[in-house]
Amino acid sequence: MAPVPTLAEPVCDEFAVRVSNAANTDGTLERDVDGQWVGRLRRISAAKLRAWGLDSLMDDVQLLVSELVTNALRYGEDREIGFRLVITLQGVLISVNDGSGRRPRLSVVDEESETGRGLFLVAAIADDWGVSPDGTTTWCTLRATSARR
């Protein structure tokens, strides 16, 4: 268990949104009825990285966003997620809160499995990652100097 990191360095940019798959009549949440929010959050993240000259992190951040958001939308018990992207000159923090106390975990899958590899990808790509002590938030960080491609 690891709390979502606090950033000591100055924050250059921050984007946060709450998204729901469920019916929402009061208009307080963006809805993902058409399954488009994973792609939208990837594009928003890419645009923000580009604006701050962190293009070298773009592919990795887009993959991390895809994995964390998809897992949260698929497995979150509340069918509502909170997404947060924080950019500093040193790197990026991505956190996704699915409102569920059910902790995501690395699982062993066979070659035939079509799912179950998301957290392995996160662990392989991110410089650090974890799950909040209450299990509701999965987060990862990438340092600007960690661009691998």
Side-chain angles (χ1 to χ4, degrees):
M1 293 184 286
V4 178
T6 55
L7 303 170
E9 59 213 49
V11 172
C12 297
D13 203 343
E14 183 171 359
F15 174 77
V17 67
R18 289 177 28 185
V19 178
S20 175
N21 285 4
N24 179 28
T25 57
D26 66 3
T28 58
L29 298 173
E30 297 293 337
R31 293 186 65 211
D32 192 32
V33 294
D34 56 359
Q36 298 295 311
W37 269 99
V38 172
R40 288 179 185 140
L41 292 173
R42 285 171 48 95
R43 288 188 298 278
I44 290 167
S45 299
K48 290 193 170 287
L49 290 170
R50 213 175 287 114
W52 288 100
L54 295 171
D55 299 58
S56 62
L57 296 179
M58 195 170 315
D59 290 339
D60 289 343
V61 166
Q62 287 185 309
L63 180 58
L64 293 168
V65 167
S66 293
E67 293 301 330
L68 294 179
V69 173
T70 298
N71 284 349
L73 288 170
R74 183 175 290 161
Y75 301 113
E77 293 171 1
D78 289 347
R79 306 293 288 166
E80 170 185 324
I81 69 161
F83 172 84
R84 182 173 171 231
L85 173 75
V86 179
I87 297 174
T88 70
L89 293 178
Q90 303 305 310
V92 176
L93 165 71
I94 302 163
S95 67
V96 180
N97 181 312
D98 68 6
S100 169
R102 192 175 63 178
R103 295 178 52 79
R105 57 180 166 66
L106 292 172
S107 57
V108 177
V109 297
D110 61 32
E111 293 176 7
E112 303 295 317
S113 296
E114 294 184 17
T115 63
R117 293 176 183 83
L119 285 181
F120 278 115
L121 289 172
V122 172
I125 293 170
D127 290 308
D128 196 14
W129 78 278
V131 179
S132 63
D134 65 0
T136 62
T137 303
T138 305
W139 58 269
C140 64
T141 59
L142 275 175
R143 289 186 295 277
T145 58
S146 70
R148 295 168 180 84
R149 299 171 208 239

